[in-house]
């Protein structure tokens, strides 16, 4: 008994894709409302005969006195131009409208699906011809063409279904084609091809299941369009005179004096039916799309979460060596807050000081909270991010207490950022020069425009880009040039601090070296303070004054560069150092650290590095280590230092 | 150089599409059984002379195209009809001379009827498009900017509802409401108003336009709102918006200088693709409000079985939509610097 119970257990736990789908679907109010509305109208249509108070299929017992009787009494929704009960007509009309909608959409989706899959799968000339044909059909206005064809043939239900169906496939074909293109180069499709599966087999078993979700969403849209088109055709007088659809009801009412008779019920009721079905389908389709392609959760203009103010400690004005301190971060903590989940601590209790002219390396693997920390400094966190403790002092001012307008004067003017990658950091539809110009104009509006132009040229020359390129767009620059231009833009307002957030990732090694040299020479020339964010300790070795190593959102170790390289105390720093080549010890093997940094929502209870730490003790897994202050400014958080 | 090639390619395809529509339009009216000119000559009650007279009048005595009737491999070799004397080439030749045939109903040249009506449709669609784009774009901007707030959900539901309204039905409802409130019930002008001074004439036309334009605006603003909203949401999540924010720009500056142009780009394409649907809307609106435009011409010609007008109106509408698409394509290439280098 027990064995059976146990063996059946994993089965219930494994989630089928349909079940997962249903769970997300259930939480989407739009899709749920749409589905409910659709089911209601489907039931009305199916049980029309049982629900309708009158048999509208026969014209017995109808007299002229019954024409356009107002709602109430024997006829809940009044009577129409033929003296028939509007409510009963409404139920039977639902049948016709839905039948036309579903069958026509079925034809459209079938044709569009076949054309899209064939074009996407086979490519080449077949694709070219099919898609050109689709483009042509897409441009030709469909309702007028339907009108022409139905007018020239018999306006029977079958004809209408086919005409709407045969002309409504273009959007389906386009969507299916691009989805097919996207999935056909996936690994398992290529594998199926490699083991000799036939084209038909691949399409049926590998492509179609992946195209299906999109096809369903599109089909829902096509059904609603077909219903709208049918009603329009009927209204124009091209409906099947023997099939009283909602559109046909409206045609009769409008054409036979409902307006002058003031019989609003004959005009309102069938129209509401169309609106009901189309709205149901629209809500369902829209909701399904949200379920299948969840959008990015936020955008950059949403209001951020308020800073949780904490006790302020006065900032230190000068470091021990007498140099002024520009930026002091005190015990900064940042949470990511998502509805329905406990907040995830992305940065915890991080402190550092940046002196004038200092270059600090901020090192750690991806996902260790480096970028979050840097964005928090300028209060540029995404809306889910919240500073929940600590202070950021910049030249004696508390950035965590400033309002948005004050912050705007500090951003770029006091502290600027060189974003990583730089491809999308520039607006693609504005020239590079224009975007640098904008920054200068924002912060020194009194400067005349020609002076700003000169400054833009000067800045570009400074980073080794000829001034004539300022009229070019970002896509006309190479990756390295864009990164240089980004640096030029970061320097535009003579900031005291520049944050370089992984400025060399995604660039090739030669360009990386050039960018690094450029940053270092600019620092010396302009007296900048730089925070250099990187996951590569080697990059910062020769340039930095100090290094802050982060792991899982906390400070692993913070010390001068000499200490970090020669006497690291935290095992993570030690492992990172082993992972980069030391040219003086050529016989040494490079080591990588197995595993990945912890996910923010699954932080281990003890030291965050413990699961990957080669020297972990028992308490490391249960108890977070304290931040130990060692000699001078050297700090590290590790149980090995507990003494 | 690249730009010129792009232009030539687009223009070439538009011409090809127009040719396709031309051929389609010709053959639809030759193959499908409805046209009374051809259906009529099969009536056994007609005398031989009458049949011949009808055939000559409508050019039915000529072959449709070269050897179209004898798609028979044996006969093809001896097929000696002068291609210029086939119905198709006569049709094309007439088109080139601007002749679209004679209306069955009014006996006037179709081209003259449609020429008057084209401007009325352009007036209606123009006013409706401008208004619906303005309303849709503004609503979309607010919805995206205030994402996931009551404003956003309100705008989203409003646009989905607007999208779901059958155009002609909304027209009927507005007409019902408007006629009860003293607005004109249809047409473009009050009969006899042409004798009035110009200002009053224009006021009269404006009053007649009010409800059709309102119908148009409500039906199409929903879609523009949805597109603007989703396009702006995409743009606002882009890295360059974060850059703009880091540069110290205000929310207004970011929206104006960095988000709107980028977000409007997809809208240009959608407006173009929408023109086909737009015409469908105009057709229904003109039918409801008896607006003397091309859509109204299609509606009336269907009711009166006036096929030359139907054929001409369809051709004119299709060509207009194709040309509008071409213009949108060219505008897009001008607005988005990335297109030229592709």
């Amino acid at each position: 008994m027990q064995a059976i119970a146990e063996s059946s257990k994993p089965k219930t736990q494994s989630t089928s894709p349909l079940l997962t789908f249903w769970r997300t679907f259930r939480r989407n109010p739009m899709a749920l409302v749409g589905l409910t509305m659709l089911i209601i109208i489907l039931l009305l249509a199916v049980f029309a005969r049982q629900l309708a108070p009158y048999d509208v299929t026969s014209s017995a017992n109808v007299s002229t006195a019954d024409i356009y009787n107002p709602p109430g009494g024997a006829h809940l929704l009044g009577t129409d131009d033929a003296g028939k009960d509007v409510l009963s007509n409404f139920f039977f009309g639902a049948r016709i409208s839905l039948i036309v909608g579903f069958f026509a959409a079925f034809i459209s989706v079938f044709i569009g699906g076949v054309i899209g899959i064939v074009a996407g799968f086979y490519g080449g000339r077949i694709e070219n011809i099919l898609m050109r044909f689709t483009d042509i059909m897409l441009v030709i206005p469909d309702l007028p063409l339907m009108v022409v064809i139905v007018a020239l043939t018999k306006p029977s239900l079958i004809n209408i279904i086919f005409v709407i169906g045969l002309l409504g496939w273009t959007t389906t074909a386009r969507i299916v084609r691009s989805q097919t293109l996207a999935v056909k180069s996936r690994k398992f499709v290529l594998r199926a091809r490699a083991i000799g599966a036939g084209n038909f087999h691949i399409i049926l078993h590998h492509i179609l299941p992946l195209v299906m979700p999109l096809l369903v969403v599109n089909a829902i849209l096509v059904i609603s369009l077909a219903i709208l088109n049918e009603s329009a055709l009927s209204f124009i007088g091209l409906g099947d005179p023997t099939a009283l659809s909602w559109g046909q009801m409206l045609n009769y009412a409008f054409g036979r004096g409902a307006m002058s008779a003031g019989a609003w019920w004959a005009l309102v009721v069938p129209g509401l039916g169309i609106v009901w079905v189309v709205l149901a389908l629209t809500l369902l389709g829209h909701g399904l799309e949200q379920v299948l392609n969840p959008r990015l959760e936020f955008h950059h203009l949403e209001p951020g979460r308020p800073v949780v103010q904490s006790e302020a400690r006065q900032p230190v004005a000068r470091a021990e060596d007498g140099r002024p301190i520009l930026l002091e971060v005190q015990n900064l903590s940042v949470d990511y807050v998502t509805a329905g989940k406990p907040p995830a601590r992305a940065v915890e209790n991080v402190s550092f000081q940046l002196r004038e002219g200092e270059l600090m390396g901020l090192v750690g693997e991806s996902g260790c909270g480096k970028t979050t920390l840097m964005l928090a400094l300028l209060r540029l966190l995404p809306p889910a991010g919240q500073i929940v403790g600590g202070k950021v002092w910049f030249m004696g001012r508390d950035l965590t207490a400033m309002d948005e307008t004050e912050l705007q004067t500090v951003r770029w003017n006091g502290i600027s950022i060189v974003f990583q990658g730089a491809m999308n950091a520039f607006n693609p539809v504005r020239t590079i020069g224009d975007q640098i110009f904008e920054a200068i104009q924002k912060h020194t509006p009194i400067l005349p425009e020609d002076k700003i132009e000169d400054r833009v040229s000067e800045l570009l020359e400074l980073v080794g880009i000829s001034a004539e390129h300022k009229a070019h767009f970002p896509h006309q620059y190479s990756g390295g040039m864009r990164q240089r231009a980004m640096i030029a833009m970061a320097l535009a307002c003579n900031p005291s601090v520049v944050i370089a957030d992984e400025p060399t990732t995604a660039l090739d090694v030669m360009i990386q070296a050039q960018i690094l040299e450029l940053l270092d020479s600019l620092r010396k020339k302009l007296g900048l303070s730089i925070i250099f964010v990187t996951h590569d300790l080697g990059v910062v070795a020769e340039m930095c004054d100090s290094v802050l190593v982060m792991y899982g959102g906390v400070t692993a170790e913070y010390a001068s560069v000499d200490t970090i390289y020669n006497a690291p105390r935290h095992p993570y720093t030690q492992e990172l150092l082993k992972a980069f080549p030391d040219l003086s010890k050529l016989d040494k093997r490079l080591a990588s650290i197995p595993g990945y940094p912890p996910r923010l929502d699954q932080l281990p209870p003890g030291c965050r590095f413990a699961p990957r730490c080669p020297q972990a003790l028992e308490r490391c897994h249960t108890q977070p280590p304290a931040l130990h202050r060692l000699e001078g400014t050297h700090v590290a958080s590790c149980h090995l230092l507990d003494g | 150089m690249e730009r010129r090639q792009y232009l030539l390619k687009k223009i070439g395809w538009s011409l090809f599409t127009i040719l396709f529509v031309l051929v389609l339009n010709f053959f639809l009216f030759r193959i499908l059984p409805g046209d009374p000119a051809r259906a009529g000559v099969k009536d056994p009650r007609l005398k031989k002379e009458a049949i011949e007279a009808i055939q000559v009048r409508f050019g039915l005595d000529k072959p449709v195209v070269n050897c179209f009737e004898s798609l028979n491999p044996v006969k093809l070799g001896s097929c000696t009809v002068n291609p210029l004397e086939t119905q198709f080439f006569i049709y094309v030749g007439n088109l080139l001379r601007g002749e679209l045939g004679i209306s069955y109903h009014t006996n006037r040249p179709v081209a003259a009827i449609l020429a008057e009506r084209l401007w009325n449709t352009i007036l209606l669609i123009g006013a409706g498009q401008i208004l619906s784009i303005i309303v849709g774009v503004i609503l979309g901007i607010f919805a995206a900017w205030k994402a996931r707030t009551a404003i956003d959900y309100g705008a989203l539901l409003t646009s989905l509802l607007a999208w779901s309204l059958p155009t002609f039905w909304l027209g009927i409802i507005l007409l019902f409401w408007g006629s009860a409130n003293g607005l004109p019930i249809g047409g473009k002008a009050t009969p006899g108003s042409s004798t009035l001074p110009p200002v009053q004439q224009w006021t009269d036309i404006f009053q007649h336009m009010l409800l059709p334009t309102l119908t148009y605006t409500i039906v199409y603003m929903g879609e523009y709102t949805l597109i603007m909203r989703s396009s702006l949401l995409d743009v606002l999540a882009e890295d360059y918006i974060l850059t703009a924010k880091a540069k110290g720009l205000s929310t207004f500056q970011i929206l104006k200088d960095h988000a709107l142009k980028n977000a409007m780009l997809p809208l240009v394409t959608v407006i173009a693709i929408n023109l086909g649907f737009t015409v469908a809307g105009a057709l229904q609106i003109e039918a409801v409000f008896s607006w003397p435009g091309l859509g109204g011409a299609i509606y009336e010609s269907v009711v009166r079985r006036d096929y030359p007008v139907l054929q001409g109106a369809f051709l004119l509408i299709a060509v207009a939509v194709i040309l509008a698409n071409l213009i949108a394509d060219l505008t897009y290439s001008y607005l988005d610097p990335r297109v030229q280098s592709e």
Side-chain angles (χ1 to χ4, degrees):
Chain A
M1 252 334 255
Q2 208 179 352
I4 294 170
E6 263 175 16
S7 69
S8 66
K9 209 175 173 185
K11 231 178 206 171
T12 48
Q13 275 178 341
S14 75
T15 46
S16 77
L18 267 180
L19 202 68
T20 348
F21 171 78
W22 170 243
R23 289 214 183 101
T24 341
F25 183 86
R26 219 172 34 182
R27 277 202 299 272
N28 191 303
M30 227 188 256
L32 267 189
V33 171
L35 186 65
T36 316
M37 288 171 71
L38 191 65
I39 289 174
I40 291 174
I41 203 74
L42 281 174
L43 288 177
L44 291 185
V46 170
F47 296 106
R49 199 164 294 283
Q50 287 75 21
L51 290 167
Y54 294 87
D55 178 16
V56 283
T57 47
S58 87
S59 43
N61 304 322
V62 173
S63 74
T64 45
D66 290 330
I67 289 172
Y68 289 141
N69 280 349
H75 298 282
L76 207 58
L77 291 177
T79 56
D80 68 0
D81 60 287
K84 299 256 181 80
D85 183 52
V86 170
L87 182 66
S88 309
N89 272 342
F90 177 82
F91 289 151
F92 283 99
R95 283 188 172 183
I96 311 284
S97 295
L98 288 171
I99 284 173
V100 174
F102 279 94
F103 279 98
F106 179 78
I107 296 173
S108 296
V109 170
F110 182 79
I111 297 176
V114 168
I115 289 185
I117 286 185
V118 168
F121 187 77
Y122 290 98
R125 187 172 288 170
I126 296 179
E127 180 183 24
N128 214 349
I129 293 172
L130 286 176
M131 291 331 284
R132 282 302 177 189
F133 180 59
T134 309
D135 284 346
I136 289 176
M137 291 306 288
L138 193 70
V139 175
I140 299 175
D142 56 350
L143 187 66
L145 186 54
M146 286 175 197
V147 169
V148 166
I149 297 177
V150 179
L152 288 169
T153 52
K154 216 172 81 202
S156 70
L157 215 52
I158 295 290
N159 273 355
I160 291 170
I161 288 174
F162 270 92
V163 170
I164 296 177
L166 289 175
L167 292 177
W169 52 267
T170 44
T171 51
T172 314
R174 280 168 75 116
I175 290 170
V176 170
R177 170 186 160 261
S178 48
Q179 179 72 0
T180 309
L181 280 180
V183 300
K184 87 168 172 186
S185 51
R186 289 209 192 149
K187 265 198 196 115
F188 58 94
V189 178
L190 295 177
R191 206 181 302 137
R193 197 193 283 277
I195 60 171
N199 283 340
F200 190 69
H201 176 90
I202 293 179
I203 288 177
L204 210 61
H205 294 277
H206 296 282
I207 306 265
L208 198 59
L210 290 170
V211 174
M212 215 49 185
L214 220 77
L215 204 60
V216 170
V217 174
N218 179 258
I220 291 170
L221 178 80
V222 174
I223 296 173
S224 65
L225 280 176
I227 290 177
L228 283 174
N229 277 331
E230 186 275 335
S231 68
L233 281 178
S234 296
F235 172 73
I236 287 167
L238 291 171
D240 187 333
T242 60
L244 202 60
S245 71
W246 290 327
Q248 192 71 278
M249 286 169 77
L250 283 166
N251 174 36
Y252 287 152
F254 187 70
R256 297 178 186 172
M259 197 78 106
S260 47
W264 55 267
W265 55 91
L267 294 169
V268 170
V269 174
L272 284 182
I274 303 171
V275 176
W276 179 279
V277 172
V278 176
L279 186 63
L281 290 164
T282 311
L283 288 174
L284 183 61
H286 221 78
L288 270 180
E289 204 173 277
Q290 283 178 357
V291 172
L292 294 171
N293 305 311
R295 217 180 226 299
L296 211 59
E297 280 292 306
F298 69 95
H299 66 64
H300 295 300
L301 294 188
E302 286 181 57
R305 292 173 176 272
V307 175
V308 178
Q309 296 298 333
S310 50
E311 291 273 313
R313 185 152 39 82
Q314 272 311 303
V316 187
R318 277 178 192 282
E320 282 157 12
D321 61 1
R323 282 204 276 172
I325 290 175
L326 294 180
L327 185 69
E328 180 172 353
V329 174
Q330 299 173 346
N331 309 93
L332 195 68
S333 296
V334 177
D335 273 359
Y336 280 113
V337 187
T338 338
K341 284 186 195 164
R345 183 58 56 91
V347 171
E348 170 140 315
N349 201 17
V350 173
S351 308
F352 65 85
Q353 295 176 340
L354 189 70
R355 289 162 295 167
E356 195 179 82
E358 177 178 348
L359 198 157
M360 185 184 96
L362 177 57
V363 185
E365 288 160 281
S366 308
C368 281
K370 307 184 303 280
T371 299
T372 302
L373 175 63
M374 290 302 104
L375 292 179
L377 296 186
L378 276 175
R379 306 257 309 274
L380 290 169
L381 288 170
Q386 182 174 32
I387 297 178
V388 288
K391 288 282 165 201
V392 179
W393 295 98
F394 173 67
M395 301 176 94
R397 298 163 78 196
D398 181 4
L399 296 187
T400 57
M402 283 186 178
D403 65 19
E404 195 64 20
T405 333
E406 280 176 284
L407 277 171
Q408 282 168 14
T409 61
V410 177
R411 288 177 185 154
W412 226 253
N413 208 18
I415 305 174
S416 65
I417 307 185
V418 176
F419 285 100
Q420 58 177 292
M423 176 61 220
N424 292 319
F426 279 110
N427 189 331
V429 303
R430 295 181 59 185
T431 63
I432 298 276
D434 186 29
Q435 297 183 54
I436 301 177
F437 185 98
E438 175 189 53
I440 304 171
Q441 198 175 38
K442 168 75 191 183
H443 294 285
T444 36
I446 42 160
L447 211 60
E449 292 202 356
D450 55 327
K451 287 271 159 41
I452 303 182
E453 283 295 348
D454 292 346
R455 172 84 179 132
V456 172
S457 309
E458 189 190 313
L459 282 163
L460 286 174
E461 304 272 5
L462 184 68
V463 297
I465 295 173
S466 136
E468 70 205 41
H469 290 303
K470 71 179 173 184
H472 289 170
F473 290 94
H475 70 269
Q476 294 166 307
Y477 276 48
S478 69
M481 268 172 93
R482 268 200 299 274
Q483 196 66 64
R484 286 159 184 275
M486 189 71 218
I487 294 172
M489 185 155 86
L491 299 174
C493 304
N494 295 317
S496 331
V497 175
V498 173
I499 298 169
D501 189 359
E502 305 205 20
T504 57
T505 30
L507 297 178
D508 65 62
V509 182
M510 288 299 291
I511 311 286
Q512 276 189 24
Q514 285 178 16
I515 300 280
L516 290 173
E517 266 168 40
L518 173 69
L519 271 173
D520 203 32
S521 71
L522 288 172
R523 167 170 77 122
K524 285 168 186 148
K525 206 190 293 179
L526 307 172
L528 293 170
S529 307
I530 297 177
I531 301 176
F532 194 94
V533 185
T534 178
H535 52 252
D536 187 353
L537 256 181
V539 166
V540 293
E542 41 193 301
M543 289 161 49
C544 288
D545 302 311
S546 55
V547 176
L548 172 63
V549 180
M550 282 183 80
Y551 187 82
V554 298
T555 308
E557 192 159 10
Y558 173 44
S560 72
V561 72
D562 289 340
T563 318
I564 287 287
Y565 281 93
N566 298 321
R569 302 295 296 272
H570 196 287
Y572 182 54
T573 319
Q574 292 163 1
E575 293 298 313
L576 276 181
L577 282 169
K578 281 187 206 157
F580 100 92
D582 183 345
L583 293 181
S584 61
K585 298 166 193 156
L586 282 174
D587 53 331
K588 248 177 89 178
R589 283 179 63 102
L590 280 179
S592 65
I593 316 170
Y596 299 97
R599 284 174 49 139
L600 292 179
D601 51 354
Q602 293 164 4
L603 292 176
C607 171
R608 294 172 182 191
F609 187 55
R612 295 168 74 192
C613 182
Q615 305 169 46
L617 308 168
E618 207 153 302
R619 66 183 156 190
C620 295
H621 292 284
T622 51
Q623 222 180 322
L627 204 59
H628 290 275
R629 183 161 286 281
L630 306 165
E631 66 284 355
T633 53
H634 189 179
V635 289
S637 63
C638 182
H639 282 304
L640 292 172
L641 304 171
D642 289 350
Chain B
M1 190 60 205
E2 284 161 341
R3 189 172 166 75
R4 183 185 295 170
Q5 268 177 354
Y6 176 83
L7 293 186
L8 283 178
K9 209 173 113 191
K10 286 285 170 194
I11 293 171
W13 267 107
S14 297
L15 286 177
F16 184 80
T17 312
I18 289 176
L19 190 70
F20 179 83
V21 169
L22 213 103
V23 173
L24 180 77
N25 196 27
F26 175 78
F27 281 103
L28 276 182
F29 283 81
R30 292 301 179 286
I31 292 169
L32 296 178
D35 191 336
R38 281 177 303 119
V41 293
K42 290 185 187 132
D43 192 329
R45 290 169 299 180
L46 282 179
K47 281 188 187 144
K48 204 175 165 235
E49 296 82 47
I51 292 174
E52 275 168 10
I54 292 174
Q55 283 185 329
V56 170
R57 170 151 183 220
F58 295 107
L60 297 175
D61 53 336
K62 309 273 194 323
V64 176
V65 283
N66 206 354
C67 299
F68 180 73
E69 280 83 357
S70 58
L71 282 180
N72 174 339
V74 184
K75 279 192 182 174
L76 267 182
S78 60
C79 181
T80 52
V81 182
N82 179 359
L84 294 176
E85 283 175 16
T86 58
Q87 288 184 35
F88 182 71
F89 276 94
I90 293 169
Y91 167 76
V92 173
N94 284 343
L95 277 184
L96 291 178
R97 271 177 275 123
E99 285 172 27
L100 294 167
I102 308 288
S103 160
Y104 293 165
H105 182 72
T106 58
N107 253 336
R108 288 180 59 208
V110 173
I113 298 175
L114 295 182
E116 292 163 14
R117 289 174 163 251
L118 177 64
W119 295 112
N120 291 336
T121 293
I122 289 178
L123 184 67
L124 177 66
I125 290 187
Q129 277 282 21
I130 291 170
L131 276 176
S132 54
I133 289 172
I134 291 175
V135 176
V137 164
I138 291 176
L139 220 57
I141 290 174
F142 273 96
W145 175 21
K146 302 286 178 197
R148 287 174 298 152
T149 64
I151 296 178
D152 183 24
Y153 293 127
L156 193 59
L157 277 182
T158 312
S159 12
L160 290 181
L161 181 64
W163 196 91
S164 307
L165 295 169
T167 314
F168 68 92
W169 181 71
L170 179 68
I172 292 175
I173 299 300
L174 286 178
L175 183 60
F176 203 88
W177 169 81
S179 59
N181 288 286
L183 282 169
I185 55 154
K188 187 192 169 193
T190 314
S193 68
S194 53
T195 55
L196 294 170
V199 179
Q200 282 177 22
Q201 270 189 49
W202 277 105
T203 325
D204 186 52
I205 292 178
F206 177 78
Q207 279 182 346
H208 281 80
M209 268 184 79
L210 215 54
L211 290 179
T213 314
L214 185 63
T215 314
Y216 192 104
T217 308
I218 293 175
V219 169
Y220 288 100
M221 61 142 226
E223 190 165 11
Y224 292 135
T225 306
L226 290 179
I227 287 151
M228 191 64 201
R229 175 181 175 272
S230 90
S231 159
L232 190 57
L233 276 178
D234 283 344
V235 169
L236 290 180
E238 289 276 359
D239 294 345
Y240 55 81
I241 299 298
L242 183 62
T243 310
K245 201 173 167 187
K247 275 156 86 175
L249 302 182
S250 66
T251 301
F252 178 72
Q253 282 170 322
I254 296 173
L255 275 177
K256 178 170 77 73
D257 297 334
H258 285 275
L260 281 190
K261 188 177 172 192
N262 306 50
M264 294 281 264
L265 284 174
L267 201 68
V268 176
T269 325
V270 171
I271 290 171
I273 290 181
N274 244 17
L275 279 168
F277 292 109
T278 290
V279 167
L283 201 164
Q284 300 173 42
I285 292 173
E286 291 179 10
V288 172
F289 292 97
S290 328
W291 183 261
L294 285 180
I298 286 197
Y299 174 64
E300 287 154 26
S301 61
V302 166
V303 174
R304 296 165 181 158
R305 302 282 181 252
D306 191 349
Y307 289 100
V309 175
L310 184 59
Q311 192 177 21
F314 173 70
L315 185 69
L316 191 57
I317 285 177
V319 171
V321 169
I322 293 165
L323 291 180
N325 260 287
L326 176 66
I327 293 171
D329 267 342
L330 302 185
T331 315
Y332 191 91
S333 78
Y334 175 76
L335 288 176
D336 190 343
R338 286 167 295 185
V339 171
Q340 295 153 33
S341 62
E342 264 170 27

